[in-house]
Amino acid sequence: MAMKSFVKVHPDSHFPLQNLPYDVFKPRQGGEARPAVAIGDYVLDLSAIASAGLFSGPILKNSDCFLQPSLNKFLGMGRPAWKEARTTIQKLLSSNEPALRDNAILRKKSLLATDKVNMLLPAMIGDYTDFFSSMHHAKNCGTIFRGPEDPIPPNWFHLPIAYHGRASSIVISGTEIIRPRGQGHPTLNSPPYFGPSLKLDFELEMAAVVGPGNELGKPVGVNEAADHIFGLVLMNDWSARDIQAWEYVPLGPFLGKSFGTTISPWIVTLDALEPFACEAPKQEPRPLPYLDEKISKNYDISLEVQIKPTGQEYSSIVTRSNFKHLYWTLTQQLAHHTINGCNLRPGDLLGTGTISGPDPESLGCFLELTWNGQKPLSLNGSTRKFLEDGDEVIFTGCCKGNGYKVGFGTCSGKVVPAPL
Amino acid sequence: MAMKSFVKVHPDSHFPLQNLPYDVFKPRQGGEARPAVAIGDYVLDLSAIASAGLFSGPILKNSDCFLQPSLNKFLGMGRPAWKEARTTIQKLLSSNEPALRDNAILRKKSLLATDKVNMLLPAMIGDYTDFFSSMHHAKNCGTIFRGPEDPIPPNWFHLPIAYHGRASSIVISGTEIIRPRGQGHPTLNSPPYFGPSLKLDFELEMAAVVGPGNELGKPVGVNEAADHIFGLVLMNDWSARDIQAWEYVPLGPFLGKSFGTTISPWIVTLDALEPFACEAPKQEPRPLPYLDEKISKNYDISLEVQIKPTGQEYSSIVTRSNFKHLYWTLTQQLAHHTINGCNLRPGDLLGTGTISGPDPESLGCFLELTWNGQKPLSLNGSTRKFLEDGDEVIFTGCCKGNGYKVGFGTCSGKVVPAPL
C-alpha cells in the first residue's frame, strides 16, 4: 500500500510523500532563506522542524545544516545524513504519525503554502559543468554544424565530453531571460553580424547536484560516484546558436551560453528516483576501466517541453523526451570529471547536455526540431524557427509510480527583448 | 624624486612604495586570514591598520572591508575606495609620516616579515575565464594542431576568444601540481591511451581580477571596463596536451586544464601599473563598435619562466616574454565577456591566455618552445620535451621604473607524480 501523508496530496502532484525534494525558500511576507522539502502544495520548513528538535537521529540531532541559507552544508554531509533526513521527514509527514499532524502550532509554523513563498537557488554553485551525453543530440548537432559524414567525433564514444559552463548566470525557474546580443557569422565578405541573437534556443537538460566533493588530485571511482550525487534538477541551457556557431572554434561554447541557465528549484534525490532506475544503453566500444561500472543505471524520467507565446492562452508541447535516452550515465560523468584530479565541491552542477531521443518528436532543442531553422515548427497557429520575444519555455519532468508520481515541478523562463 | 618608505626596500624588490599589491595571509604562528599589502620583505596587515582607525577617508572610515578573510568586499567597492586606500597606505608607509613609523606597538602588530606568513588565495573566485589573446600563441597552436594553412581561425581577429575554466582547482603559488591521468589520442586501431599525462605543460599567462561586477543582462561598455578591473596576477594555466588534444573537439578544453591553475598571491593594481602603460598593437580589421575603445592600452611587464629540475641547484630560463605582446586588451576582453549580458562578480578571474611573443625565445609554453615535443629544449645539461616529475616551474614578472621596480613576485609550482 502506498505511503500516505496527513497533508493532502493530489494523485497528479509531483510531490507526494515518496518524493520529498529539497530547496531553499523565503516567505513572501519576509524572512531569511532556509531549506525546505515539498509536500503536495506545501513546503515543509526544515529550519522550523530542526528548531523544534524533531531531527533526533544521530547525525542530524546536533547539526545546524538546516539553519543555513543554502543546502551546501547538508549536501556535503553525504548519504548517511540524507538517508536519516529522509526517514525522519517521511515519518513526520506520514498520516499515522502524530508529532507534527497533531501539533497545530508547529504545523502552522512549518507548513507554508507554496504560493506564499519564493523559491531560491538551492545551493551556492561553485562550478557548473555541462556534458554532451545524448548520442542523438551529438549526431544531430554534428550533422547540422559539420555535415553528415562522421557527425559524431571519434572521441565521443570513448569519453563523456563536457565543457565548463558559467556559474554566475545560473538562475532559478521563473526568472526572465534577456535575449543576448553578440556576433554572428559573417556572410561572404561582409563583417560579422552584430545585434540581438537571431537564433535563440532552449536546451532540454537535467543536472546532477554534487554532494560531498573530492580533494584535488584524488579521483572518485565510477562505482563510488553515486555517493557524490545528491539528486537531480531540470535545466534549460539557453543557447544563442548564431553566437555559438561563430565563436566555438577552437575553445568551445562561451557567450552563446553564458547569458543565462535556468534550473528548477526542487532537487529530487537519487533515493526518491531509485524505484525508477533502469538499465542504461549498452556501450560499444566498452569503456576504459575507469568508466566501466558494475551497474550502469539511468532513470525513467518523462520530460516535456511546452512553449507559450505571449498573448496566447495555451502552451504547445514541442517535445517529449526521457532521461533514459542518455548514453553516458551520471556516475560515468562524475568519475570522468575527476579522473585528472579535478576537485568537485558540494553544490556543483553537472548538466547532462541536451536530452534528445531517437524520434523526431523527442528532440531536445529547436536547433534539432527545426533543423537549424530550415523546417519551422507549428505552435498552435504561429510558427517558430527559434524563440521569439515573449515566448515562455516550460519544462516538466516526472516518473510515474503505481498511483503516484515523483516529479520535478517546472523549469520555466520567458524571453524578453535585448537591451537597445 | 622617488617616494621612499621608512620600511627598508631593496632597489631590486618587486614591492616598493610605488607598488603596494594586495593579498590575504595567515600568520604561520596562527590566526585568521586577513588582507595585506606587500612592502619590501614585509606584509602590512590591513586589519590591524583598520582596527587602529588609520583608514580615515570618507569611504573606508566605517567599512569592515579589511576585516574580511578575502578581498571580495573591497574589490566590489570600486575605484574610489581603491584610490582612497592607496593614498592612505602610501602616506602611512612613507618615510616622512610619523603615524606608523613612530608607533612601535602598532608597527610590531601590523608589519610582519613575509617569511613568517602564509599567503592565501586573495579572493573567492566565483568564475574563471581564460582568453586566447596572443596572436603568436594562436598562430603557433593552430599550426601545431591543425596545420599551417590558415592556422588562426577566422573569428580570432573579430573577437577575443575565450572559454570557461574551472574555478575549484585554482591554487596559490607554491602548491604542488599532481600530474593528471587521462585519455590521450588512440594510435591507428588501438584504444585510446590511458595513464599519467605524457605531455604536461605550463602556460605563461596573467589574469585580471574583477572589481565591481555587473548585473545579468547589463553589458559593460569597453570604455568603462577599466573601472571593473582591480589588478593583475601571474598565472600558470597548467595543461596536459595529450588529454587536451583528444578531448577538445567540439566543446573545448576540459580535463586537459582543470587539474590545477596556479596564481601568484599579490594582486598588482592597475593604479600601480599605470606608469607602465603602453599602446596596444594596432587591430586590423577594426573591431566592431562594442570593442572599439578610445584608448587601447597594454602594460610593459617583462615576464620570465624558469624551470628547476629536481636535484639541480639552479633553475634555467626557458622563456622571456612581455604582457605588451597581447593583441586583445583587458578592457576588450571584459567588454566582450559581458556583451551578451553575462554577469561578472567581484573576484572573478579573467586569464589572458598564453602570452607568447614574436621571437622563438619568447614563446609561452613547451608546446610552442619544443614544437609539440619535436625539438627538445636543453635545460642546463638535461633536455625537455614536456615537464617531468620534480620539475619546478617559476614565473616572475615586473615593470622597470626609474630606480625602482613594480613586480608580481613569483608564481611557482612543482610537478609531483600521478597517483598509482
Side-chain angles (χ1 to χ4, degrees):
Chain A
M1 203 189 86
M3 294 183 291
K4 281 258 177 188
S5 174
F6 66 85
V7 180
K8 211 172 145 188
V9 178
H10 191 277
D12 276 339
S13 171
H14 283 194
F15 307 128
L17 197 56
Q18 289 83 351
N19 191 348
L20 302 179
Y22 287 80
D23 190 31
V24 162
F25 76 98
K26 272 187 187 179
R28 293 227 169 119
Q29 60 182 43
E32 296 299 305
R34 63 197 94 157
V37 296
I39 179 77
D41 296 330
Y42 292 83
V43 305
L44 177 70
D45 178 346
L46 297 181
S47 75
I49 299 300
S51 298
L54 293 177
F55 285 106
S56 54
I59 305 172
L60 296 170
K61 192 165 51 180
N62 296 309
S63 172
D64 63 355
C65 65
F66 295 130
L67 306 176
Q68 309 285 329
S70 78
L71 285 168
N72 295 69
K73 187 165 183 178
F74 180 58
L75 297 176
M77 291 168 77
R79 195 159 302 283
W82 309 338
K83 291 254 185 215
E84 189 178 301
R86 183 170 173 83
T87 305
T88 301
I89 298 166
Q90 226 162 27
K91 183 172 176 216
L92 206 57
L93 287 171
S94 75
S95 54
N96 48 18
E97 167 67 30
L100 181 59
R101 185 193 66 196
D102 299 347
N103 184 336
I105 293 171
L106 184 59
R107 244 179 23 239
K108 191 172 171 202
K109 202 172 168 184
S110 64
L111 279 168
L112 292 89
T114 305
D115 58 11
K116 295 276 195 305
V117 307
N118 290 324
M119 307 314 300
L120 308 174
L121 286 178
M124 289 177 296
I125 300 164
D127 278 287
Y128 151 47
T129 303
D130 203 16
F131 284 84
F132 188 50
S133 291
S134 152
M135 189 178 65
H136 312 288
H137 177 63
K139 188 175 174 185
N140 292 327
C141 291
T143 305
I144 290 167
F145 281 129
R146 291 177 294 279
E149 302 284 319
D150 300 319
I152 302 182
N155 54 5
W156 195 91
F157 288 99
H158 293 280
L159 52 87
I161 290 180
Y163 68 100
H164 304 294
R166 178 83 193 172
S168 71
S169 51
I170 297 173
V171 298
I172 195 72
S173 176
T175 308
E176 289 182 340
I177 294 296
I178 301 168
R179 182 181 294 272
R181 291 184 301 165
Q183 294 191 31
H185 246 295
T187 44
L188 293 170
N189 292 324
S190 57
Y193 167 80
F194 178 79
S197 169
L198 302 173
K199 292 188 173 181
L200 183 58
D201 203 353
F202 65 88
E203 282 196 335
L204 172 61
E205 301 200 17
M206 297 193 74
V209 179
V210 171
N214 61 303
E215 264 179 70
L216 194 57
K218 300 250 171 87
V220 175
V222 70
N223 295 310
E224 286 75 50
D227 282 341
H228 293 262
I229 300 173
F230 179 64
L232 293 176
V233 294
L234 300 169
M235 186 168 92
N236 186 344
D237 183 30
W238 305 89
S239 299
R241 300 301 184 185
D242 42 356
I243 298 174
Q244 184 185 351
W246 175 228
E247 74 178 356
Y248 90 105
V249 173
L251 299 184
F254 181 52
L255 300 188
K257 304 277 192 174
S258 64
F259 57 91
T261 306
T262 306
I263 62 171
S264 58
W266 296 107
I267 309 174
V268 177
T269 64
L270 291 198
D271 286 329
L273 292 171
E274 187 54 33
F276 309 98
C278 58
E279 224 177 311
K282 190 171 158 50
Q283 297 179 331
E284 184 55 46
R286 187 170 174 171
L288 282 166
Y290 82 95
L291 292 173
D292 198 4
E293 52 192 346
K294 284 179 192 149
I295 300 167
S296 200
K297 198 190 275 185
N298 265 352
Y299 299 95
D300 183 358
I301 307 171
S302 300
L303 301 168
E304 197 175 273
V305 180
Q306 300 182 37
I307 293 183
K308 187 172 174 295
T310 189
Q312 285 199 15
E313 199 173 346
Y314 299 105
S315 53
S316 306
I317 296 172
V318 297
T319 200
R320 286 195 178 92
S321 187
N322 195 302
F323 184 87
K324 72 182 176 189
H325 296 314
L326 292 173
Y327 183 88
W328 293 104
T329 65
L330 295 176
T331 37
Q332 288 177 318
Q333 291 169 16
L334 193 140
H336 180 66
H337 203 318
T338 65
I339 187 62
N340 70 341
C342 179
N343 56 329
L344 304 178
R345 297 178 292 190
D348 283 354
L349 211 61
L350 310 185
T352 57
T354 304
I355 306 174
S356 292
D359 310 313
E361 298 76 26
S362 63
L363 304 173
C365 57
F366 268 146
L367 179 74
E368 292 171 79
L369 285 164
T370 73
W371 212 252
N372 201 13
Q374 290 175 48
K375 301 187 297 183
L377 203 74
S378 169
L379 277 196
N380 204 10
S382 61
T383 60
R384 289 289 180 281
K385 293 176 174 176
F386 287 98
L387 291 167
E388 295 191 1
D389 291 344
D391 284 352
E392 188 180 357
V393 182
I394 306 148
F395 294 178
T396 58
C398 84
C399 309
K400 289 171 190 89
N402 189 359
Y404 69 96
K405 290 179 175 177
V406 166
F408 290 79
T410 60
C411 174
S412 73
K414 187 175 181 167
V415 176
V416 300
L420 289 180
Chain B
M1 203 188 86
M3 293 183 293
K4 282 259 178 190
S5 173
F6 66 84
V7 179
K8 211 171 145 187
V9 178
H10 190 279
D12 276 339
S13 171
H14 282 194
F15 307 127
L17 197 54
Q18 289 82 352
N19 192 348
L20 301 179
Y22 287 80
D23 190 31
V24 162
F25 75 99
K26 272 188 187 178
R28 294 227 168 118
Q29 61 182 44
E32 296 300 303
R34 62 197 95 157
V37 296
I39 179 77
D41 296 330
Y42 291 84
V43 304
L44 178 70
D45 178 345
L46 297 180
S47 75
I49 299 299
S51 298
L54 294 176
F55 285 105
S56 53
I59 304 173
L60 297 171
K61 194 164 50 180
N62 296 312
S63 172
D64 63 355
C65 65
F66 295 131
L67 306 176
Q68 307 286 329
S70 79
L71 285 166
N72 295 68
K73 186 165 183 177
F74 180 57
L75 297 175
M77 291 168 76
R79 195 158 302 284
W82 308 339
K83 290 254 185 214
E84 189 179 301
R86 183 170 173 84
T87 304
T88 300
I89 298 167
Q90 223 160 31
K91 184 172 174 215
L92 205 58
L93 287 171
S94 75
S95 55
N96 49 18
E97 167 66 31
L100 181 59
R101 184 192 69 196
D102 299 346
N103 184 336
I105 293 171
L106 184 58
R107 243 178 23 240
K108 192 172 171 201
K109 201 172 169 185
S110 65
L111 278 167
L112 292 89
T114 305
D115 58 12
K116 296 276 195 304
V117 306
N118 290 325
M119 307 313 300
L120 307 174
L121 286 178
M124 289 176 297
I125 299 162
D127 278 287
Y128 150 46
T129 303
D130 203 15
F131 283 85
F132 188 48
S133 291
S134 152
M135 188 178 64
H136 310 290
H137 177 64
K139 188 175 174 185
N140 292 328
C141 290
T143 306
I144 291 167
F145 281 129
R146 291 177 294 278
E149 301 286 318
D150 301 319
I152 303 182
N155 54 4
W156 196 91
F157 288 99
H158 294 279
L159 53 87
I161 290 179
Y163 69 100
H164 304 294
R166 179 83 193 171
S168 71
S169 52
I170 297 173
V171 297
I172 196 72
S173 177
T175 307
E176 289 183 339
I177 294 295
I178 301 168
R179 183 181 294 271
R181 290 183 302 164
Q183 293 192 32
H185 246 296
T187 45
L188 293 170
N189 291 325
S190 57
Y193 167 81
F194 177 79
S197 169
L198 302 173
K199 291 188 173 182
L200 183 58
D201 203 354
F202 64 87
E203 281 195 337
L204 173 61
E205 301 199 17
M206 297 192 75
V209 178
V210 172
N214 61 302
E215 262 178 72
L216 195 57
K218 301 252 171 87
V220 175
V222 69
N223 296 310
E224 286 76 49
D227 283 340
H228 293 262
I229 300 173
F230 179 64
L232 293 177
V233 293
L234 301 169
M235 186 169 93
N236 186 343
D237 182 30
W238 306 89
S239 299
R241 300 303 185 185
D242 42 356
I243 298 174
Q244 185 185 349
W246 175 230
E247 75 179 353
Y248 90 106
V249 174
L251 299 184
F254 181 51
L255 300 187
K257 304 277 191 173
S258 63
F259 56 91
T261 306
T262 306
I263 62 171
S264 58
W266 296 108
I267 310 174
V268 177
T269 64
L270 291 198
D271 287 329
L273 293 171
E274 187 53 34
F276 309 98
C278 58
E279 222 175 314
K282 189 171 158 48
Q283 297 179 332
E284 185 54 47
R286 190 171 173 172
L288 282 165
Y290 82 95
L291 292 173
D292 199 5
E293 52 192 347
K294 284 179 191 150
I295 300 167
S296 199
K297 199 190 273 184
N298 265 351
Y299 298 96
D300 183 358
I301 307 172
S302 300
L303 301 167
E304 197 175 272
V305 180
Q306 301 182 35
I307 293 183
K308 187 171 174 298
T310 189
Q312 284 199 17
E313 199 173 346
Y314 299 104
S315 54
S316 306
I317 296 172
V318 297
T319 201
R320 285 195 179 92
S321 187
N322 195 303
F323 184 87
K324 71 182 176 190
H325 295 314
L326 291 173
Y327 183 89
W328 293 105
T329 66
L330 295 176
T331 38
Q332 288 177 319
Q333 292 170 17
L334 192 139
H336 180 66
H337 203 317
T338 65
I339 186 63
N340 70 339
C342 179
N343 55 329
L344 304 178
R345 296 178 292 190
D348 283 354
L349 211 59
L350 310 185
T352 57
T354 303
I355 305 175
S356 293
D359 311 311
E361 299 77 24
S362 63
L363 303 174
C365 57
F366 268 146
L367 179 74
E368 292 170 80
L369 285 164
T370 72
W371 213 251
N372 201 14
Q374 291 174 48
K375 300 186 298 181
L377 204 74
S378 169
L379 278 195
N380 204 13
S382 60
T383 59
R384 288 290 179 280
K385 293 176 174 177
F386 287 98
L387 291 167
E388 297 191 0
D389 290 345
D391 285 351
E392 188 180 358
V393 181
I394 306 148
F395 294 178
T396 57
C398 83
C399 309
K400 290 171 190 86
N402 190 358
Y404 69 96
K405 291 178 175 177
V406 166
F408 290 79
T410 61
C411 173
S412 73
K414 187 174 180 167
V415 177
V416 299
L420 289 181

